[in-house]
Amino acid sequence: MAGRVIRRSFGGGFRFRNYAGQPASTLVTLSVPERVVIPMLQGFGVPLKPLIEPGETVAAGQIIGRDDTLLSSPVHATINGRVSEVTSIDHVGRQVPAVVIAGDGTDSWIRLEGRSANHRDLEPEQIEDLLYRSGASSLGSEGIPTRFHTSVIGAADVRHLIIHLTGSDVFSPAPGALFTGANREAFAAGTEILHRVMPKAEVHIVMGRSEERLLESIGDLLAGLPSVRLYAVEANYPQAAPEMLVTTILREEFPYGHAAANIGVVVLDAQAVLHVYEAVVEGKPVIERLIALSGPGFEQPGHVRVRVGTPIESILTGRLKRSAEVRQRVVLDSLLAGAGVDDLSLPLDRTAVQLIALPDDDRRLPFAFARPGLHNDSFSRSFVPAWLPVGKEAGTNRHGEERPCIQCGWCARVCPVRIIPQLIYRHARVSVSELLVRYGAFNCIGCNLCSYVCPSKIALARHILEAKEKLLDVGCDNSSCIVPRFDLKGIEEYKGVKNIR
Amino acid sequence: MRKLLESFVAGLNRLTAKGPLRRLRPVTEALDEAMLGTDKTARTAPFIADGMDVKRMMSLVILGLVPSAIAGIYFYGWYVAAMIATSYAVGGMTEVAFAMVRRKPIHEGFLVTGLIFPLILPPTTPLWVVAVGVFFGVFFGKEVFGGTGRNIFNPALVGRLFISLAFPSYFATMWGKMHWGGAGGFVHWTVDAITQATPLIDFKGSHMISTDPLSLLIGHAPGCVGETFRLGIILGGLFVVVMRAGDWRVPASYLGSVALSALILHGIMPDRVAPVWFQLLSGGLLFGAFFMANDPVTSPFTFTGRFIYGITLGILTVLIRALSGLPESVMFAILLMNAVAPLIDNAVINAAYRRATTRVRRLAA
């Protein structure tokens, strides 16, 4: 399949281009932190009980949480040291047990047993065992299926494996930082390993259109795998959402409201594949993560390699711009759909992709509505960057006051799933009824683009989310409409893990 | 400069913070927001926001109207400026009064309504009629429905309809003789004579076309204040569409549909139905298509609905012009279609849902 790159795109969406503060391809490995906080829920699964007590000595790579009966993957200590505390932290929007480890500063770690420099020597069962024990099986939108109950479906149910590096967000990790040295070979080997675990799956590798050469070279390395297909996609947000990958790459309908795994699709990002390689070939558990430091708030946007569980503040120290005028806002993973980091002592877990810092810009701009807007991004073409190649600046300023909806239709024009956000919003204000299902409330994938473009500054996506919750409260979901269409697997289990009623 | 502005706004705010002027709070708040910009920031995702807001959107539409307004003054004298000022003053006061009663912020929509309204009146309309019309339009066309975003009919057209019914003489005979050449109306207060009929009235009476395409384009034919300089309307309208402050679907399908139905009907009834170029370039069609039919609040919001709306508007416009006793029909066509816009949306959404569910049933079977 080498050399055949298929081009794809989808209707709707929004291209965030030319933002100042994109991370450079530099990569710095940070020294081992003095202290880490290990959340007992990382990646796909349910929270685990810590297997260690305060005061115990632990080593980097040692499993400190594992339960083969639960839908989960093991959690590791990521530094050598002593457990100082077992506590509970606010993590991914819920309270999760966490283990605090005070480190001794050494950077060694325990290799997994049973690894092999040549993965072809290993049986699929041995690979699954390594993936599980390394924690790599918790990566991806719904985990990598193994014999160990790590995903809602079994490895034999996987029809498609999608590996993506689309760069469609406002800020995205630079592919150049990920694919340094022998990482292309490692990525190719990791893909092969995954294919051995999921032999029925067709493999789809998806990258941004600017990375076609990288894609071709990876295709050359994977020439031995006949089921691999290569795709170059527009950097159109939210291309990286599983819903959009399934619809644009596989050209299949998505069971909105459910997960890709439910239709037998596993979605992984490129870094997850490298973790798979490291686990199987090097015997390295997922104790380190490559994090992009992006956005105008950083002195030098770039990439760092950090231990999982490192508190965010210790990564930021000395790297954030200092300004007397304005505070920096720190956001995890995505400016559009990520979470704001209010407590900087919280840790990064093994799924973190990037930290974004941008000015929390409450400075008032006189006559903002009448200015040419040298660095403003907009769906409209009324700002300078729409016509000239000037860099755009990200900031948290809302650029306007909230106003009643005037039905301008921008939300519908950018909506990637082709619903009419303002219609659901206006209807939900009046009543919560089954009409909302008809209007496609459950199709919303929460990409937040409608809230981004709204000139009336209405938080449309949040209102839709609330409407969905109210609908579920009254026992109304779209299962009657979509379930017959699909052969869905593991729905109840998925809902259990994601806490969906 | 900035300091001055800030202290001015702070002074205004102090004035209405308490005491007898407390009621004027919405006014000072609106000035505060407009002059200084917002200090609100995103607390939850998305952490960035589009640079566009309603103020800028309305400003873009007003920019698109500027050529028509300036041409109106050039053709009909500074009296037109007085009409615009009257319309803004009375329309603004109505909006402010409602904001005060409702204790809600002042919305920017009246800035567009207040400018459009005088542009669709004959150039000799007395100022008190302008005032009554804009009050009626804003009050009964918008505020009684619940204000911005909730009105069914275009407020400016509601005002114009009221005037054309209450004071029909201004629309029947009072078309001014326009200034032409040199400094034009820039050195006149108002028109000198009230004699000429519009090309559409001529055609209705004699089935003869009294003008040529170029005159219509540059505005050398009588008509309402802002509808005659059609080159400026086209440029301003394209500006609004390119800036995405207005949707392209409504004007494109409206004008396309007028052209197509005129082409067909002119072939059948050449006496009653004017040829395509005359239909497109006469009367208020271009102004209506770009600035009135395209009002997002009163037109359908579904994209298919916008095409249906535009196409129906075109057919209605040509039919009313040809078959009714009225020379011009754009206003009636738009008001009529405003009334059915929600129906169109409903039908489009229901049809899409039916298609989806039939597919599900087929797949499930």
Side-chain angles (χ1 to χ4, degrees):
Chain A
M1 282 309 296
R4 284 286 305 132
V5 175
I6 306 163
R7 293 189 171 188
R8 289 281 167 86
S9 60
F10 67 92
F14 188 83
R15 283 181 217 171
F16 293 99
R17 275 185 278 222
N18 282 341
Y19 271 85
Q22 288 295 346
S25 294
T26 53
L27 175 58
V28 181
T29 302
L30 297 192
S31 56
V32 175
E34 290 168 7
R35 178 175 162 275
V36 290
V37 182
I38 312 288
M40 297 308 286
L41 167 61
Q42 297 188 44
F44 190 73
V46 297
L48 294 168
K49 264 205 205 83
L51 299 174
I52 34 86
E53 297 288 327
E56 271 183 56
T57 315
V58 288
Q62 178 186 336
I63 289 175
I64 59 169
R66 171 173 176 167
D67 190 334
D68 292 2
T69 62
L70 294 175
L71 205 172
S72 63
S73 299
V75 172
H76 308 84
T78 57
I79 55 174
N80 302 318
R82 185 183 294 274
V83 176
S84 62
E85 198 185 347
V86 175
T87 172
S88 165
I89 58 165
D90 184 19
H91 181 64
V92 291
R94 59 206 261 193
Q95 281 295 313
V96 170
V99 173
V100 184
I101 302 170
D104 59 13
T106 54
D107 62 359
S108 62
W109 44 271
I110 309 171
R111 251 174 233 285
L112 297 169
E113 279 170 29
R115 74 189 171 95
S116 167
N118 187 353
H119 66 87
R120 294 189 182 88
D121 297 343
L122 297 170
E123 295 297 318
E125 290 77 34
Q126 292 172 298
I127 295 177
E128 286 181 17
D129 187 49
L130 280 164
L131 290 182
Y132 180 65
R133 281 188 287 125
S134 71
S137 53
S138 66
L139 301 173
S141 54
E142 289 91 39
I144 301 171
T146 62
R147 288 176 297 130
F148 294 92
H149 205 188
T150 50
S151 179
V152 294
I153 50 172
D157 297 326
V158 182
R159 299 181 297 125
H160 298 281
L161 167 64
I162 301 178
I163 299 165
H164 65 93
L165 184 71
T166 59
S168 59
D169 222 304
V170 183
F171 297 107
S172 309
L178 201 58
F179 287 98
T180 49
N183 273 3
R184 286 179 199 214
E185 287 74 16
F187 179 85
T191 310
E192 269 185 63
I193 292 167
L194 286 164
H195 186 253
R196 295 204 44 214
V197 177
M198 299 170 266
K200 283 192 199 161
E202 286 179 32
V203 182
H204 309 266
I205 300 176
V206 186
M207 290 192 189
R209 198 156 278 182
S210 54
E211 305 304 326
E212 264 183 60
R213 278 171 65 193
L214 175 63
L215 203 51
E216 298 247 6
S217 72
I218 286 168
D220 291 340
L221 292 171
L222 283 168
L225 266 188
S227 66
V228 173
R229 290 208 186 92
L230 310 173
Y231 301 84
V233 291
E234 297 281 349
N236 193 13
Y237 180 84
Q239 178 65 76
E243 290 89 345
M244 301 324 294
L245 286 169
V246 166
T247 45
T248 50
I249 300 303
L250 306 180
R251 299 228 161 116
E252 278 184 23
E253 274 189 80
F254 196 90
Y256 293 108
H258 298 276
N262 296 136
I263 51 168
V265 179
V266 171
V267 179
L268 298 175
D269 70 353
Q271 195 172 171
V273 179
L274 294 177
H275 282 304
V276 165
Y277 170 85
E278 286 174 355
V280 174
V281 176
E282 296 172 2
K284 185 175 183 179
V286 187
I287 57 168
E288 272 188 337
R289 195 71 189 159
L290 187 126
I291 305 286
L293 304 179
S294 322
F298 283 104
E299 288 283 357
Q300 284 167 325
H303 300 73
V304 289
R305 194 185 295 283
V306 296
R307 291 292 168 101
V308 168
T310 306
I312 290 168
E313 59 194 350
S314 68
I315 301 171
L316 298 179
T317 308
R319 294 191 168 78
L320 279 187
K321 272 184 197 159
R322 289 181 174 280
S323 160
E325 275 177 35
V326 66
R327 224 167 54 89
Q328 302 292 351
R329 179 87 166 123
V330 180
V331 177
L332 187 62
D333 289 352
S334 165
L335 282 187
L336 267 293
V341 183
D342 294 315
D343 181 356
L344 295 177
S345 67
L346 290 177
L348 286 179
D349 77 356
R350 63 165 74 125
T351 63
V353 175
Q354 64 179 340
L355 284 170
I356 306 158
L358 72 168
D360 201 7
D361 201 351
D362 59 356
R363 289 169 298 185
R364 307 186 71 176
L365 197 60
F367 297 102
F369 68 96
R371 289 175 179 244
L374 257 182
H375 304 290
N376 279 87
D377 198 4
S378 173
F379 180 74
S380 86
R381 301 196 184 94
S382 69
F383 294 93
V384 173
W387 304 95
L388 297 172
V390 287
K392 295 165 190 163
E393 277 168 14
T396 60
N397 194 287
R398 301 283 299 149
H399 303 301
E401 306 292 333
E402 186 165 337
R403 287 284 179 265
C405 173
I406 52 167
Q407 302 171 25
C408 65
W410 283 15
C411 49
R413 281 165 87 171
V414 296
C415 181
V417 293
R418 292 306 189 212
I419 56 175
I420 305 173
Q422 53 98 351
L423 177 66
I424 299 170
Y425 154 74
R426 284 187 299 135
H427 192 86
R429 275 164 62 110
V430 182
S431 73
V432 174
S433 73
E434 268 180 66
L435 261 184
L436 291 174
V437 180
R438 173 174 294 210
Y439 296 158
F442 283 105
N443 287 21
C444 174
I445 61 171
C447 73
N448 283 333
L449 259 187
C450 46
S451 304
Y452 166 79
V453 294
C454 182
S456 293
K457 308 295 171 193
I458 300 167
L460 292 161
R462 207 186 64 223
H463 286 287
I464 296 175
L465 188 69
E466 283 166 11
K468 279 201 276 193
E469 282 168 359
K470 280 185 200 152
L471 279 172
L472 291 168
D473 276 343
V474 297
C476 177
D477 64 26
N478 61 342
S479 55
S480 57
C481 315
I482 70 163
V483 170
R485 236 193 300 184
F486 299 96
D487 177 20
L488 296 178
K489 299 184 183 76
I491 304 177
E492 291 311 315
E493 212 163 22
Y494 176 73
K495 285 183 174 175
V497 171
K498 287 287 173 187
N499 279 349
I500 305 171
R501 281 149 292 179
Chain B
M1 187 61 204
R2 194 191 163 116
K3 283 258 157 61
L4 201 70
L5 201 64
E6 271 168 8
S7 58
F8 172 65
V9 171
L12 278 179
N13 284 336
R14 258 198 311 280
L15 217 56
T16 56
K18 50 181 184 251
L21 292 174
R22 202 178 58 238
R23 280 274 171 159
L24 286 172
R25 189 101 196 118
V27 182
T28 52
E29 258 168 25
L31 286 172
D32 183 334
E33 286 166 5
M35 291 203 275
L36 289 182
T38 187
D39 58 354
K40 294 194 176 63
T41 57
R43 300 326 303 161
T44 54
F47 289 92
I48 50 173
D50 194 294
M52 187 62 123
D53 68 345
V54 174
K55 285 186 187 64
R56 192 179 181 87
M57 208 153 192
M58 296 303 162
S59 310
L60 290 171
V61 177
I62 288 169
L63 273 181
L65 287 166
V66 160
S68 308
I70 291 177
I73 295 172
Y74 177 79
F75 292 145
Y76 301 113
W78 287 103
Y79 181 73
V80 167
M83 286 169 71
I84 295 172
T86 308
S87 168
Y88 265 139
V90 176
M93 275 192 281
T94 316
E95 172 76 33
V96 167
F98 264 83
M100 278 160 57
V101 170
R102 292 211 184 97
R103 292 163 206 272
K104 290 247 173 87
I106 294 172
H107 299 148
E108 293 80 6
F110 83 96
L111 293 172
V112 171
T113 308
L115 181 56
I116 285 185
F117 182 67
L119 295 185
I120 55 173
L121 294 178
T124 57
T125 314
L127 293 182
W128 69 270
V129 175
V130 176
V132 170
V134 76
F135 169 76
F136 190 92
V138 174
F139 188 93
F140 288 101
K142 187 170 89 176
E143 304 296 359
V144 293
F145 287 99
T148 308
R150 290 158 180 253
N151 47 312
I152 297 170
F153 299 104
N154 186 311
L157 282 179
V158 171
R160 189 186 196 258
L161 180 71
F162 175 70
I163 290 185
S164 69
L165 295 177
F167 314 101
S169 56
Y170 299 115
F171 285 87
T173 56
M174 293 182 79
W175 302 101
K177 190 170 173 357
M178 61 199 345
H179 299 289
W180 192 255
F186 291 142
V187 290
H188 288 88
W189 170 241
T190 182
V191 291
D192 301 330
I194 318 168
T195 51
Q196 280 179 309
T198 70
L200 276 170
I201 296 176
D202 280 344
F203 184 80
K204 195 95 222 166
S206 63
H207 301 303
M208 297 284 279
I209 292 168
S210 59
T211 180
D212 58 283
L214 188 67
S215 304
L216 286 174
L217 267 178
I218 57 175
H220 195 206
C224 293
V225 171
E227 72 179 24
T228 51
F229 182 47
R230 296 188 173 81
L231 205 60
I233 295 169
I234 294 170
L235 290 176
L238 287 179
F239 170 79
V240 168
V241 167
V242 167
M243 288 297 158
R244 287 178 167 160
D247 197 19
W248 59 272
R249 292 171 181 84
V250 172
S253 54
Y254 190 178
L255 297 175
S257 156
V258 165
L260 197 67
S261 28
L263 187 73
I264 296 168
L265 291 173
H266 181 67
I268 302 169
M269 300 178 285
D271 270 1
R272 285 188 151 272
V273 184
V276 174
W277 68 266
F278 184 72
Q279 296 270 13
L280 285 175
L281 293 178
S282 61
L285 177 65
L286 284 168
F287 194 83
F290 278 114
F291 293 104
M292 319 218 59
N294 207 11
D295 168 20
V297 177
T298 55
S299 58
F301 53 79
T302 53
F303 299 147
T304 319
R306 284 179 179 172
F307 284 120
I308 297 173
Y309 172 83
I311 291 166
T312 324
L313 271 175
I315 298 170
L316 275 178
T317 303
V318 173
L319 283 181
I320 300 176
R321 273 181 181 177
L323 304 177
S324 78
L326 300 160
E328 178 53 312
S329 61
V330 172
M331 172 174 69
F332 292 104
I334 294 176
L335 283 171
L336 197 66
M337 291 310 288
N338 280 171
V340 296
L343 197 69
I344 296 176
D345 278 333
N346 237 337
V348 168
I349 291 166
N350 288 345
Y353 184 72
R354 252 197 316 280
R355 268 200 311 279
T357 43
T358 8
R359 200 177 54 220
V360 175
R361 261 187 237 115
R362 219 180 27 247
L363 283 165

